[in-house]
Amino acid sequence: MGKIKKWTIGVLVGLALLVTTAFQSDFFEIAKQIDIYTTLFKELNMYYIDEVNPAKLSNKAISSMLESLDPYTRYYDEQGVIDARIAATGEYGGIGVVTRYKNNMLTIRELLKNSPAEKAGLKPGDKILKINDIEVKDFDERGVAALLNGLPNTKVTLQIERQNKKMELAVNREKIIVNPVPYFTMLANEVGYISFTTFNEKASTEVKRAFSDLKEQGMKKLIIDVRGNPGGLLNEAVSIANFFIPKDKIVVTTKAKIKKWSDTYKTLQAPMDLEIPIAILINNRSASASEILAGSLQDYDRAVIIGERSFGKGLVQLNLPLSYGTLMKITISKYYTPSGRCIQELDYTNRDEKGNIPKFSESTQTFKTEKGRIVYGGGGILPDVEIEKPVTTKTTETLLNSDAFFNYATQYFYENKAISEPSKFKLMNSDYASFIDYLTKNQTAFETKTEAEFKKALEMAATENLNENLSKGYSELLTDIQAEKFKELNKNKEEIINELSEEIIKRYYYAEGAYQQKAIFDNTILKAVSILNNSKEYNSILKN
């Protein structure tokens, strides 16, 4: 007995020493790397031949380090902290515009309805050259945003360029409140429609308000549209799910390395409605909190999910304050739907030597809903009813990410003083042909990777004096490449028309107008209305 006791004590002491040694080893390695970085940073700033910007250098080093982990773990300097707070609360002091800073040029992309910018006469497409007396081109994107926004009830003077003419406009900053529910309405046959764009602090309040309003109008079936919604606050997703499932039900579970950050989120309130048939619309840009909402209601067989496979973001972030008013948003856990699904698509931990990221969807696991339906983990939320559409080609993706849509819509706006109301506006084949003609005449607005690399090859040939007999052949081949480019676009003609319609409508009727148009013409909404109006089909999907 004594030998066993001594042996047990010996094993425990050995394990304790092993753990202590491992901890000390980890601590030493961390201290070592910090010391190396501090020494290097100090020597670099003291002895490098040219002046360096310590803050800029450090920001770049930190950002590069965090990017090697995942896209969501980020460092925010003092200005970044303000931007993050605005995103979470939906409130800020400013003029109410969406802008894009590119090539040292700040362009107004969109106006918020009834905003100070609208009242002052600003338009999408306006280029902001000066903010008060400060040249925009002398600042980076964050610096420009800090100049543009400010305390409510203060004035800012903008020098802008519109259609090649310069002018000055004075704008009074106001408290801007971004409504996460830009549009809700009654559709045909007692179907209510709510679209919301982000899970900020106002999301559940605004969704509840819209739901109550629609119920008063006679709603008996509901469509919730979270297409393009990138997510936000997890507790807001839990609150909205609680509207439609009973109290004390699990909505999402998080699992972390640190025990205190692992948690189970349950519904805390009595629901608003346990009976109303629901359709949730998702697409490949519905992420995070959108997937928690859709996944939880799918797992409880409480809603039919319609659209495309969602983005697949199953990672949870936490804001950790750092010194000097900065912070780090760090991935601390993964979340799981009530059936046990983690819908994370990309496995950032196991990149290969070339940096390629494997997908969890390549080894899909099956789970069961409350009623026994099969659902799948990994790779986002797979809808119950998929809306099939042609695969978006690489060429079309390039077009969608370019400035071509925006520039064409700007031209269209100044050539057409008015358009039909949103519920009647739809671009035709002739409009598509006009857009393609515009692209043909403005090739630089939409350049594929093949074209860019091809041009680089000619430039390289010129530096090596190898281009003397290449120019003619190059022009002919470039023409052939561009012809193939437009053939590829035709494969996604309907998608391009829809995106262009939305961009144009927003010029006349703001974001609200784009939703009004979708309510009439959008195929996914029409499919949802059809399913909700066919109780036999709706119930069969949830029992399958």
Side-chain angles (χ1 to χ4, degrees):
M1 184 72 180
K3 287 184 178 179
I4 293 174
K5 188 175 181 181
K6 288 180 181 179
W7 180 84
T8 303
I9 293 172
V11 170
L12 291 174
V13 171
L15 287 172
L17 287 171
L18 185 64
V19 170
T20 303
T21 302
F23 176 79
Q24 289 177 341
S25 177
D26 286 345
F27 183 80
F28 172 75
E29 186 61 29
I30 292 170
K32 173 185 171 183
Q33 296 304 323
I34 290 174
D35 188 52
I36 291 171
Y37 176 78
T38 304
T39 307
L40 181 148
F41 194 69
K42 178 183 175 183
E43 301 298 319
L44 187 66
N45 279 279
M46 286 181 65
Y47 300 121
Y48 186 71
I49 189 169
D50 295 320
E51 287 295 321
V52 296
N53 184 322
K56 190 173 182 180
L57 205 61
S58 187
N59 282 352
K60 191 170 184 179
I62 293 170
S63 296
S64 296
M65 174 179 65
L66 298 182
E67 282 173 7
S68 69
L69 300 175
D70 65 51
Y72 314 111
T73 298
R74 295 180 181 177
Y75 166 75
Y76 294 94
D77 59 16
E78 295 93 328
Q79 180 58 44
V81 171
I82 295 172
D83 295 340
R85 190 177 297 123
I86 288 171
T89 62
E91 295 183 7
Y92 66 99
I95 65 172
V97 294
V98 177
T99 60
R100 182 175 181 180
Y101 189 74
K102 183 179 179 182
N103 298 329
N104 294 326
M105 181 67 69
L106 185 68
T107 305
I108 296 177
R109 306 285 291 191
E110 188 178 336
L111 298 179
L112 300 185
K113 189 176 180 180
N114 299 320
S115 64
E118 181 200 12
K119 296 170 187 174
L122 289 165
K123 303 289 184 185
D126 288 349
K127 296 178 175 63
I128 299 177
L129 307 178
K130 284 184 180 181
I131 301 174
N132 291 324
D133 294 323
I134 300 174
E135 298 267 1
V136 166
K137 65 181 180 181
D138 294 333
F139 283 76
D140 59 16
E141 186 171 7
R142 280 189 178 179
V144 166
L147 291 172
L148 199 57
N149 296 327
L151 294 173
N153 302 316
T154 58
K155 183 180 289 187
V156 61
T157 301
L158 305 179
Q159 184 189 81
I160 66 167
E161 181 181 308
R162 177 185 299 165
Q163 300 292 286
N164 299 317
K165 294 180 180 178
K166 292 182 180 179
M167 61 183 77
E168 280 195 359
L169 293 172
V171 189
N172 290 312
R173 297 187 182 99
E174 296 177 10
K175 183 178 181 180
I176 304 297
I177 300 176
V178 180
N179 190 340
V181 180
Y183 186 66
F184 64 91
T185 191
M186 285 294 296
L187 304 176
N189 300 311
E190 302 173 322
V191 177
Y193 172 83
I194 300 173
S195 178
F196 65 106
T197 56
T198 185
F199 287 78
N200 64 21
E201 289 180 353
K202 297 174 176 58
S204 59
T205 301
E206 291 301 322
V207 170
K208 185 176 183 178
R209 184 178 68 84
F211 182 86
S212 299
D213 191 306
L214 292 172
K215 285 284 279 188
E216 289 181 3
Q217 295 183 50
M219 175 181 67
K220 294 184 178 179
K221 292 153 276 190
L222 172 64
I223 296 173
I224 298 175
D225 192 345
V226 289
R227 289 176 296 174
N229 187 324
L233 302 177
L234 183 147
N235 62 299
E236 290 295 306
V238 175
S239 296
I240 294 170
N242 194 171
F243 295 161
F244 309 109
I245 57 178
K247 183 180 179 181
D248 206 34
K249 286 282 191 179
I250 294 173
V251 176
V252 61
T253 302
T254 62
K255 297 180 183 180
K257 181 168 68 175
I258 307 299
K259 188 176 181 179
K260 70 175 183 178
W261 289 337
S262 296
D263 209 345
T264 298
Y265 295 82
K266 293 184 177 182
T267 52
L268 301 176
Q269 308 293 330
M272 291 196 304
D273 196 317
L274 291 176
E275 302 297 330
I276 188 169
I278 303 171
I280 297 182
L281 312 187
I282 60 174
N283 64 5
N284 59 8
R285 292 180 291 117
S286 303
S288 191
S290 293
E291 295 171 300
I292 290 173
L293 176 63
S296 60
L297 295 191
Q298 186 180 50
D299 282 357
Y300 287 118
D301 305 289
R302 185 62 189 87
V304 172
I305 314 301
I306 303 173
E308 306 170 56
R309 183 192 288 269
S310 64
F311 182 81
K313 181 181 181 291
L315 304 177
V316 181
Q317 285 73 45
L318 176 71
N319 288 337
L320 294 179
L322 304 176
S323 55
Y324 297 101
T326 64
L327 67 78
M328 175 172 61
K329 185 173 74 171
I330 181 174
T331 298
I332 59 163
S333 61
K334 292 181 180 179
Y335 73 74
Y336 297 79
T337 70
S339 67
R341 291 183 287 169
C342 181
I343 54 78
Q344 177 62 25
E345 167 71 309
L346 298 176
D347 183 6
Y348 295 106
T349 303
N350 295 302
R351 302 172 197 249
D352 63 22
E353 294 178 355
K354 295 181 179 178
N356 297 315
I357 305 170
K359 297 181 178 181
F360 284 111
S361 59
E362 292 170 354
S363 56
T364 303
Q365 292 180 295
T366 60
F367 299 82
K368 288 189 176 181
T369 69
E370 194 170 57
K371 292 181 179 178
R373 294 188 299 140
I374 299 294
V375 288
Y376 301 93
I381 299 296
L382 189 67
D384 302 306
V385 179
E386 287 195 77
I387 302 298
E388 294 185 5
K389 68 172 190 177
V391 175
T392 303
T393 66
K394 290 291 184 184
T395 303
T396 302
E397 285 181 7
T398 301
L399 173 63
L400 295 175
N401 292 324
S402 74
D403 290 328
F405 275 115
F406 181 80
N407 293 340
Y408 181 78
T410 301
Q411 177 179 299
Y412 187 99
F413 176 75
Y414 285 107
E415 290 177 352
N416 298 271
K417 291 184 178 181
I419 61 172
S420 305
E421 61 185 76
S423 61
K424 296 179 181 179
F425 181 82
K426 188 170 177 64
L427 293 177
M428 310 304 290
N429 288 335
S430 57
D431 296 300
Y432 177 77
S434 296
F435 179 55
I436 295 299
D437 182 60
Y438 169 84
L439 294 178
T440 304
K441 294 174 181 176
N442 295 271
Q443 294 282 353
T444 56
F446 161 48
E447 187 176 68
T448 63
K449 192 172 181 180
T450 299
E451 290 173 287
E453 293 298 324
F454 193 53
K455 288 179 180 178
K456 282 183 184 178
L458 184 66
E459 291 169 0
M460 180 61 72
T463 64
E464 297 179 351
N465 296 320
L466 301 175
N467 64 322
E468 186 175 345
N469 298 313
L470 295 180
S471 296
K472 183 179 179 181
Y474 167 85
S475 298
E476 292 174 353
L477 190 52
L478 182 61
T479 299
D480 291 339
I481 290 172
Q482 290 169 346
E484 291 299 317
K485 175 174 77 172
F486 290 111
K487 285 182 184 178
E488 285 291 288
L489 292 183
N490 288 334
K491 295 177 182 178
N492 299 125
K493 181 178 177 180
E494 183 178 350
E495 181 178 359
I496 291 170
I497 287 176
N498 290 338
E499 292 287 338
L500 188 58
S501 295
E502 181 174 335
E503 189 65 54
I504 289 173
I505 287 172
K506 285 193 292 188
R507 299 304 175 95
Y508 301 87
Y509 298 101
Y510 308 93
E512 183 180 339
Y515 288 107
Q516 291 173 350
Q517 197 261 1
K518 284 182 180 180
I520 302 300
F521 296 108
D522 185 88
N523 288 333
T524 306
I525 294 176
L526 295 175
K527 181 65 175 178
V529 170
S530 173
I531 291 173
L532 289 171
N533 285 329
N534 186 334
S535 58
K536 185 176 180 181
E537 182 181 7
Y538 178 85
N539 291 326
S540 69
I541 293 170
L542 295 181
K543 291 177 181 177
N544 185 17

